[in-house]
Amino acid sequence: MNVGVAHSEVNPNTRVMNSRGMWLTYALGVGLLHIVLLSIPFFSVPVAWTLTNVIHNLGMYVFLHAVKGTPFETPDQGKARLLTHWEQLDYGVQFTSSRKFFTISPIILFIAASPGDETRTVLMTSLPGRQGIIYRVSMLILNKAAGVFSKPSRREIFEFLRSFNFRPGNVFLHKLVLGIETSCDDTAAAVVDETGNVLGEAIHSQTEVHLKTGGIVPPVAQQLHRENIQRIVQEALSTSKVSPSELSAIATTVKPGLALSLGVGLSFSLQLVDQLKKPFIPIHHMEAHALTIRLLNKVEFPFLVLLISGGHCLLALVRGVSDFLLLGKSLDIAPGDMLDKVARRLSLIKHPECSTMSGGKAIEHLAKQGNKLHFDFKPPMQRAKNCDFSFTGLQHVIDKIITQKEKEEGIQKGQILSSAAHIAAAVQHTTACHIAKRTHRAILFCKQRDLLSQSNAVLVVSGGVASNLYIRKALEIVTNATQCTLLCPPPKLCTDNGIMIAWNGIERLRAGLGILHNTEGIRYEPKCPLGVDISKEVGEAAIKVPRLKMKI
Ligand SMILES: *[C@@H]1O[C@H](CO)[C@@H](O)[C@H](O)[C@H]1NC(C)=O
């Protein structure tokens, strides 16, 4: 008598796929496999999809078409012993829902793994890539549930590997750029990687030397660059622990700036490029300033940038890595230069509270103690409805007032006026209003021409003067009134530095723009405008700027 016969008729394989929740469990299983693959460092999304697909198909082949019988049941299996699972499914009946499910699931996975993001987005709207729901939810679960599986950002991974003195640069074709800056009075260098990680940096400032001579003397600056450049580049490289052979390229400021200073940086870089056989990326100093924000914040093009420093003053629309529209610039001197001149005229260096401060900082500090309404300086260029700036007129007016006050108080030139704080407050306020008004017009112009987003445009303010909190507040009033976001890089990155040059090199490498393998005929350019100048068009639009209450 064969006891097993009655049981062997009920083959568990035939109905296992019809159990409650089986499809969901199956999908979750495949999902889990994909998540685990995604969480492995250096597996990109397409790689993870492909592996999920391959592993799933192998599993399907083994369990559905290779293995025969009922492996988890010991009793007699009857004729099932000779059949694969696919044949046993639903007692061999065709076109059942289980069979359809098994037929469709590899097709769906194949589409998910097929190359081309467009296909995936169109066909798999529920399973997008790294930005998608699956990725976010799975990362949340993994991060919460098991720290072991958490996927740190690429930057952290590289830092982690670096801590073992491991160089991912070579292994994963990670981009590393050495940036060199000598356009004015700072000799600076830095090594930056593709993710915006600053691996090494060094800077030598000539400010002190030039303070003594009352301004930059180009031959002196040139000599100081020559004396320091080798050491500064070496320092940046050695702190980065990157060997020169690992660099992807060398990026150097070649325009605009002081001719003698630019020359030192360029000839040093060309020697290095020749010696190391690396590509060379010539950098536009102002473009580098404008793009610095992208090293820290995820700012998409287009955005508006206001560069205000001791040497620069301009408003531009940034549309791409090397696509700029110049909306306006200073017709004479830069605001930082003007503030420095006023500070010098007021002899603030002799003021007990300001003796160690730069001119601009001294004005900002003293202004807090003064009444900005004590003097009424008219903001410059009120009738010109464009985005240009002017500061010499204001500087002359202040000069006259100071001379007049010195007479009234009966003091010599070089002594501190009792009204110095009021003058500082008034000049800072007038400067802030002038800058704010021009920026406001630029925002309105760009929105009117649909060059900027109507509701979430970004204004980036950079340059040394950007760290003046009063001026920044004035700009915040403008961005608040125009539904814009105001962003400022930290002070260290607002002034001249090597990091921004290296970062611009990275941006250009990624975009494949301006990478030279042959440096023949490359020259520095002391004068070089930023982008396409449309300031005339801006002036012709004659946009009237609504009055804003500058309650700062
Ligand atoms: C701008 O708006 C923000 C948020 O509404 C507010 O906190 C801030 O004080 C405003 N700034 C100025 C200068 O009005």
Side-chain angles (χ1 to χ4, degrees), residues 53 57 64 239 253 297 400 446 457 515 526:
N53 192 21
N57 288 357
L64 286 183
T239 46
T253 311
N297 297 55
K400 254 194 232 153
C446 290
I515 303 146

Side-chain angles (χ1 to χ4, degrees), residues 180-181 183 251-256 282-295 303 305 307 318 320-322 324 460 462-463 489 493-505 507-508 530:
I180 299 175
E181 152 73 29
S183 69
T252 304
T253 311
V254 299
K255 58 192 174 186
I283 303 291
H284 189 297
H285 183 81
M286 311 304 284
E287 291 183 4
H289 265 304
L291 294 190
T292 308
I293 192 76
R294 283 162 52 91
L295 181 141
F303 60 88
V305 67
L307 293 178
V318 189
V321 172
S322 73
F324 295 78
V460 174
S462 190
L493 293 180
C494 275
T495 50
D496 291 354
N497 61 80
I499 297 168
M500 68 175 192
I501 305 302
W503 175 249
N504 206 251
E507 291 258 29
R508 284 184 165 274
L530 176 75

Side-chain angles (χ1 to χ4, degrees), residues 69-185:
T70 50
F72 306 115
E73 294 280 315
T74 40
D76 180 18
Q77 298 165 346
K79 64 176 193 294
R81 202 157 23 96
L82 304 170
L83 298 177
T84 63
H85 290 173
W86 178 255
E87 288 160 339
Q88 295 170 46
L89 206 60
D90 295 321
Y91 302 96
V93 178
Q94 295 297 323
F95 302 115
T96 60
S97 46
S98 293
R99 282 181 190 276
K100 284 177 192 161
F101 178 81
F102 276 130
T103 310
I104 291 170
S105 58
I107 296 174
I108 292 179
L109 265 177
F110 175 76
I111 294 169
S114 56
D117 278 347
E118 303 80 19
T119 335
R120 196 155 42 236
T121 332
V122 173
L123 296 169
M124 304 290 298
T125 39
S126 60
L127 300 171
R130 226 171 260 282
Q131 310 302 328
I133 292 166
I134 288 207
Y135 183 76
R136 284 210 207 125
V137 170
S138 62
M139 283 309 121
L140 191 73
I141 294 168
L142 284 177
N143 281 329
K144 294 266 182 233
V148 194
F149 282 115
S150 80
K151 183 189 181 80
S153 71
R154 283 181 65 188
R155 189 181 290 209
E156 281 161 6
I157 291 173
F158 284 120
E159 240 163 41
F160 175 73
L161 293 174
R162 221 160 252 291
S163 66
F164 293 101
N165 237 348
F166 179 70
R167 306 286 163 69
N170 288 340
V171 187
F172 303 102
L173 300 172
H174 189 49
K175 292 188 182 75
L176 295 166
V177 171
L178 166 69
I180 299 175
E181 152 73 29
T182 61
S183 69
C184 189
D185 61 343

